[in-house]
Amino acid sequence: MRLADTIIHVLTRTAQWGTGLSFAVLIVSVLIQVTGRTTGFAPVWTEELTRYALLFSVAFGAGLAFRSGDLVNVDVVCESLPGRLPWVLRLVSAIATCGLAVYLLPHAWRYVSIGKMQTSPALGVRMDVIHLTVWLLLLLLAVFAGLRVLGMLSGAEDGKPVKPEED
């Protein structure tokens, strides 16, 4: 289990860093745009960079949101059910999430490959890099949902979201 914990920790930290970095780019881009509008020189590329940074923030953050329970999670009814039924519903939900994400991965990859033929108008970035966010979102969602399923089946966790400790 030590190796599994290390892998989970590395994946979580990578997603946290990716979310943080893309959010920092988003903040800087918006600040440049706001400053530019007040001074009369608003660069065109900031709007495009903001959109792409937001896409990367969502892509990296979706798996983390699933893990922490911040993704849509309707558990009022589920958790009030008797016995082992809440655990079973959490397991089915995690399996369905993982299965759907895995099913969509090859289709998302086809979407990414279409972007090879395009570049963004203002930044000149190849669009497959930007389209990769859709695939990355599905991959991280599948990984974190799969880890929840494995944890539940092995008895290492009960399937409830992992809330970060308050500092």
Side-chain angles (χ1 to χ4, degrees):
M1 283 311 271
R2 198 150 178 87
L3 177 64
D5 290 338
T6 303
I7 292 171
I8 291 169
H9 179 74
V10 167
L11 284 172
T12 302
R13 284 290 180 214
T14 303
Q16 287 171 338
W17 275 96
T19 304
L21 181 63
S22 58
F23 197 67
V25 168
L26 177 101
I27 290 170
V28 169
S29 178
V30 168
L31 283 174
I32 291 171
Q33 180 69 12
V34 169
T35 305
R37 286 185 182 197
T38 58
T39 62
F41 173 70
V44 176
W45 55 266
T46 55
E47 186 268 331
E48 199 171 272
L49 182 61
T50 300
R51 187 178 312 131
Y52 299 154
L54 184 61
L55 287 171
F56 276 98
S57 292
V58 171
F60 281 114
L64 292 174
F66 181 83
R67 183 164 173 73
S68 68
D70 293 327
L71 201 59
V72 174
N73 191 16
V74 182
D75 58 356
V76 175
V77 175
C78 296
E79 296 305 319
S80 65
L81 295 173
R84 197 156 163 87
L85 205 49
W87 183 89
V88 171
L89 288 174
R90 286 191 300 269
L91 179 65
V92 168
S93 173
I95 290 170
T97 301
C98 182
L100 181 62
V102 167
Y103 171 76
L104 291 173
L105 276 171
H107 305 289
W109 189 254
R110 191 171 34 209
Y111 174 67
V112 171
S113 65
I114 291 171
K116 289 179 190 175
M117 300 176 283
Q118 303 167 343
T119 57
S120 65
L123 293 172
V125 177
R126 279 185 24 191
M127 290 306 292
D128 57 342
V129 174
I130 306 306
H131 292 174
L132 186 66
T133 58
V134 175
W135 187 82
L136 184 63
L137 181 149
L138 291 169
L139 176 70
L140 290 173
L141 198 56
V143 166
F144 282 113
L147 289 172
R148 182 175 289 174
V149 169
L150 290 176
M152 289 179 74
L153 293 178
S154 70
E157 63 176 272
D158 61 359
K160 291 184 179 175
V162 178
K163 295 287 184 183
E165 294 179 18
E166 297 291 325
D167 291 327

